[in-house]
Amino acid sequence: MNDEFEKDRELPWWEIVVLRGHKMCLLRFHHSIGDGLSLVKVFDGIIQTTSSNRVESKVTAALMKRKMVMPSIPSMLQSTWDVLTLGVSQHDATTRFHPKQTKFKYSGSRKIVFFPKVSLSYIKELKSKSDSSVNDILTYAIQIFGSRKIVFFPKVSLSYIKELKSKSDSSFNDILTYAISQMIYNYNTSTQPSNTNQYQCRALLPMSLPRSSSSTLTNHFSMVSADISACRSFKTRKERLQDIVQTTTKLKSSPTAYIQLWFQNNLLSKLPAFLGKQTAFDIFSRHSLVLTNVPGPETKCHLANHTFDRLELFFLNVVPQIDLLSYAGTLYGNIIYDPIELKEGDTLFPQLYAKALVDLSRELDVEPPE
């Protein structure tokens, strides 16, 4: 978000941007307004199905009914310890996907900012005075500023993912987490064999929790840390998937998400701003990525008499962010990362994501889509 959107803003901290030349509509809002499920409610309120009916999310209703299983005292104590020490936990392994990070302090939040326009004659003068090219000058400027690139994954049929789920005795999210884990593993080993079998590669998983009202826009989620085994080799793709199932099963029965939320609301929110930001930065910088999956409308929808062909979710972060969103029977996804650090991502990530699913299909005897 640019400074005008974030500071001294008299308008609401949300907006709809129509890019007519690209036939694209961008719903942009500040995360302080609400989390992913709140975004689902926003869509429910402003869009309609192609039959002009209001969209009603089944996911939010299901979450409202979900109850927390009372944890044991040992699990409460372990989860509390895990939450309190997450910001000083071991950094993830240094790999091609997670290059060695310089340990520095928080210096500000990630934003989308618009660069000031610059005269080409000025850039050309810098070029002539430095014995370099225009691209060299621009690359230098980006390296100083920091950059982000969006790469789209191939779209996948939801029925295909559900068939993989039923054949593997796992969940929908387990299949998607497996695909990302295998993609990262293949990316790390694409240039050299892996010898990092004991190293950790953790993802921060946003977990939405039951809320008192389905109509209120709120942030009622916490970031839960999970090792997605992307630095481990397995004999088969099914073994990797089953390892992930074990991890997610423990998370589902753990009170960690609730304890994390309690500390966020009752402790971190009362710290001085610089200390709260430093704590958040310490947690994020120790992880390899953020991975989120948001359920969208089950049928095609339209806004102002225009039908949406696809929906994508974008979120910039201090570490690579992978956003997956289902819409009208199709799963869409993307990765937002630093192209200076992660080389060849624009070609490798889509290929390796698709390959991970196809390889699992062959082991499960499921016909992959073309």
Side-chain angles (χ1 to χ4, degrees):
M1 298 182 183
N2 60 16
D3 289 338
E4 292 180 358
F5 188 75
E6 200 167 62
K7 296 180 180 178
D8 302 323
R9 183 175 174 83
E10 296 180 359
L11 297 173
W13 282 20
W14 63 270
E15 59 189 7
I16 297 177
V17 181
V18 178
L19 306 175
R20 298 185 184 278
H22 298 277
K23 296 183 179 180
M24 185 182 301
C25 178
L26 176 67
L27 172 62
R28 184 170 69 157
F29 72 103
H30 200 285
H31 209 315
S32 62
I33 292 177
D35 54 20
L37 283 184
S38 290
L39 176 60
V40 172
K41 294 305 298 181
V42 171
F43 268 89
D44 289 355
I46 66 174
I47 63 178
Q48 295 177 318
T49 65
T50 51
S51 57
S52 298
N53 296 322
R54 303 303 298 180
V55 176
E56 295 182 3
S57 171
K58 296 180 180 179
V59 178
T60 305
L63 184 63
M64 294 283 292
K65 297 177 182 177
R66 195 171 73 188
K67 303 295 182 182
M68 175 185 173
V69 178
M70 185 56 64
S72 64
I73 293 178
S75 66
M76 289 280 288
L77 294 175
Q78 182 62 54
S79 294
T80 301
W81 175 257
D82 291 342
V83 169
L84 289 175
T85 59
L86 190 58
V88 293
S89 61
Q90 180 182 358
H91 284 262
D92 275 7
T94 298
T95 62
R96 188 185 184 195
F97 186 82
H98 186 68
K100 185 175 182 179
Q101 304 293 311
T102 302
K103 295 183 179 180
F104 56 92
K105 292 187 177 182
Y106 171 84
S107 60
S109 59
R110 290 286 181 183
K111 305 174 183 178
I112 300 176
V113 299
F114 294 99
F115 296 147
K117 60 182 180 180
V118 180
S119 166
L120 282 181
S121 60
Y122 168 65
I123 300 296
K124 289 178 180 178
E125 187 176 0
L126 291 176
K127 162 184 169 291
S128 63
K129 289 288 185 71
S130 60
D131 192 24
S132 60
S133 68
V134 170
N135 281 339
D136 291 336
I137 297 296
L138 299 180
T139 300
Y140 160 79
I142 290 174
Q143 285 178 330
I144 296 300
F145 172 78
S147 61
R148 283 294 181 269
K149 186 171 188 175
I150 301 172
V151 170
F152 296 98
F153 295 146
K155 61 182 181 180
V156 181
S157 166
L158 284 186
S159 60
Y160 168 62
I161 300 295
K162 289 177 180 178
E163 188 174 2
L164 292 176
K165 163 184 169 292
S166 64
K167 287 288 187 73
S168 60
D169 192 24
S170 60
S171 71
F172 189 89
N173 281 336
D174 290 335
I175 297 295
L176 301 184
T177 304
Y178 150 80
I180 300 306
S181 171
Q182 187 68 49
M183 179 193 79
I184 295 173
Y185 176 81
N186 288 341
Y187 178 79
N188 285 337
T189 57
S190 60
T191 55
Q192 59 184 12
S194 173
N195 59 356
T196 60
N197 216 31
Q198 302 302 317
Y199 291 175
Q200 70 179 14
C201 175
R202 296 173 298 172
L204 285 170
L205 309 176
M207 293 188 66
S208 292
L209 301 173
R211 49 207 69 198
S212 58
S213 172
S214 62
S215 61
T216 303
L217 299 183
T218 182
N219 278 290
H220 199 66
F221 79 103
S222 59
M223 290 284 194
V224 177
S225 175
D227 194 329
I228 60 172
S229 304
C231 283
R232 295 181 57 195
S233 61
F234 294 88
K235 292 181 180 179
T236 66
R237 302 297 185 263
K238 288 191 289 187
E239 285 185 9
R240 180 180 299 278
L241 175 58
Q242 289 307 310
D243 186 79
I244 288 171
V245 170
Q246 292 178 14
T247 298
T248 57
T249 300
K250 290 179 182 177
L251 284 178
K252 292 172 185 175
S253 60
S254 167
T256 300
Y258 293 89
I259 293 174
Q260 177 74 48
L261 182 65
W262 187 90
F263 276 104
Q264 288 173 192
N265 293 341
N266 296 280
L267 182 60
L268 287 178
S269 61
K270 295 177 173 58
L271 294 177
F274 79 93
L275 188 55
K277 292 176 179 179
Q278 181 66 53
T279 301
F281 181 81
D282 288 340
I283 292 173
F284 276 74
S285 62
R286 282 167 163 75
H287 289 75
S288 297
L289 72 152
V290 174
L291 172 60
T292 183
N293 173 36
V294 177
E298 297 177 358
T299 60
K300 282 204 170 184
C301 302
H302 65 255
L303 173 66
N305 295 322
H306 290 276
T307 302
F308 292 121
D309 291 326
R310 66 185 292 165
L311 290 180
E312 293 277 357
L313 173 67
F314 306 110
F315 195 93
L316 274 72
N317 229 317
V318 294
V319 293
Q321 171 108 12
I322 294 179
D323 300 307
L324 304 171
L325 188 147
S326 57
Y327 170 63
T330 302
L331 178 71
Y332 300 96
N334 61 76
I335 177 172
I336 303 177
Y337 66 100
D338 187 342
I340 295 176
E341 289 189 340
L342 307 187
K343 308 295 185 183
E344 301 179 278
D346 52 345
T347 56
L348 287 180
F349 289 140
Q351 293 173 7
L352 298 177
Y353 172 80
K355 185 178 185 302
L357 291 172
V358 170
D359 289 347
L360 181 62
S361 298
R362 290 171 178 159
E363 292 188 13
L364 296 176
D365 196 24
V366 173
E367 185 67 27
E370 295 182 359

